[in-house]
Amino acid sequence: MRTRLTLEIASNSLASALAAQAGGADRIELFDNLAEGGTTPSFATIAIARERLSIPLFVLVRPRPGDFHYDALETELMLRDIAQCRALGCDGVVIGALDVQGGVDVALCRELMQAAGPLQVTFHRAFDAARDLPAALEQVIGLGCQRVLTSGGQVSAEAGAEVLAGLVTQAKGRISVMAGAGLGPANIAAIARRTGCTELHASAKGLRRSVMQFQNPALRGLDPDWSQTATATVAALRQALDGAR
């Protein structure tokens, strides 16, 4: 019997994480600021998520949007956030850093890995911004990460499917290559089959409409609506993956 395919849901809030669990997610990646690619969520968000989730909780450790090259102050922030995640009982952290030439910043990532201790570690999509993906994969494997989240260096996992398949072949089981970006119920099973990835990552986001009856028309740049994981979409993703076995 084929191993169950793992569905990780990228959750941009506590409400999203709970919705993902209700829909059948296997694991949560918790973060804030979805529109900017994700940053570390608040202490309270992590703490309450850990209290209320019964599935594994991984937390994104990223101090700001933008590139993935970090200075000493940002490194200190990441180390403190990792320590917080350990103290709160999280199952894993999601990290990543590059040097100015586009290679993995091995020295910094080793420091982050050491701080993570017994927690599992996912190397995030900083990987997709690397200059040489096969070389970066070997560096990430050398660090001891359990998985790498990637779209194959393309805008979506569908566009990067051939590269993803090559990375899975290169990995030879030394690390899990987790496909992410642009996955939905209509394509997630096909991507799993084409790439050989056994872990898939999706946001399953939907638009939540504000219930405010008054909205100041002068604040045109302040959108009252927001994105949140939709339980029904997660359930559809889970069903699609189960059908792919």
Side-chain angles (χ1 to χ4, degrees):
M1 178 181 291
R2 183 175 174 179
T3 303
R4 172 183 165 96
L5 297 174
T6 299
L7 176 61
E8 178 180 275
I9 297 297
S11 302
N12 65 330
S13 65
L14 175 60
S16 286
L18 296 174
Q21 176 172 260
D26 296 301
R27 184 172 61 234
I28 299 297
E29 184 202 7
L30 187 63
F31 61 94
D32 199 359
N33 294 320
L34 175 64
E36 295 185 309
T39 55
T40 305
S42 73
F43 175 90
T45 298
I46 300 169
I48 299 175
R50 180 64 292 170
E51 291 170 4
R52 300 190 185 182
L53 291 172
S54 58
I55 58 177
L57 172 63
F58 282 45
V59 175
L60 176 63
V61 178
R62 186 181 179 216
R64 57 161 172 80
D67 67 29
F68 302 100
H69 182 63
Y70 300 112
D71 61 22
L73 181 60
E74 291 162 339
T75 297
E76 183 178 358
L77 286 168
M78 291 189 286
L79 291 171
R80 293 283 188 97
D81 282 332
I82 291 171
Q84 173 181 288
C85 290
R86 287 185 63 174
L88 289 172
C90 296
D91 299 283
V93 290
V94 183
I95 67 163
L98 301 178
D99 60 33
V100 295
Q101 298 301 321
V104 173
D105 188 336
V106 174
L108 172 53
C109 289
R110 279 183 180 150
E111 193 172 358
L112 300 178
M113 291 288 295
Q114 184 175 12
L119 302 186
Q120 288 199 29
V121 176
T122 299
F123 196 96
H124 59 52
R125 289 190 65 206
F127 180 83
D128 287 322
R131 182 182 64 253
D132 183 332
L133 296 191
L137 182 63
E138 294 301 325
Q139 291 177 307
V140 173
I141 290 170
L143 287 168
C145 298
Q146 280 72 38
R147 65 189 53 78
V148 56
L149 171 62
T150 173
S151 61
Q154 299 298 315
V155 68
S156 69
E158 189 163 19
E162 298 308 314
V163 175
L164 285 167
L167 293 171
V168 170
T169 299
Q170 178 186 342
K172 296 179 180 177
R174 294 174 294 164
I175 192 171
S176 176
V177 177
M178 180 166 58
L183 296 182
N187 68 357
I188 193 168
I191 296 299
R193 285 191 292 264
R194 287 176 61 190
T195 64
C197 293
T198 59
E199 298 192 49
L200 293 303
H201 172 100
S203 63
K205 63 181 180 292
L207 186 65
R208 288 295 302 271
R209 295 289 186 184
S210 173
V211 298
M212 290 293 297
Q213 295 181 11
F214 171 77
Q215 296 179 13
N216 186 345
L219 301 180
R220 293 186 180 88
L222 182 61
D223 189 349
D225 304 323
W226 69 97
S227 293
Q228 184 175 304
T229 298
T231 297
T233 304
V234 177
L237 288 163
R238 179 72 268 164
Q239 184 177 22
L241 282 182
D242 289 344
R245 288 186 294 175

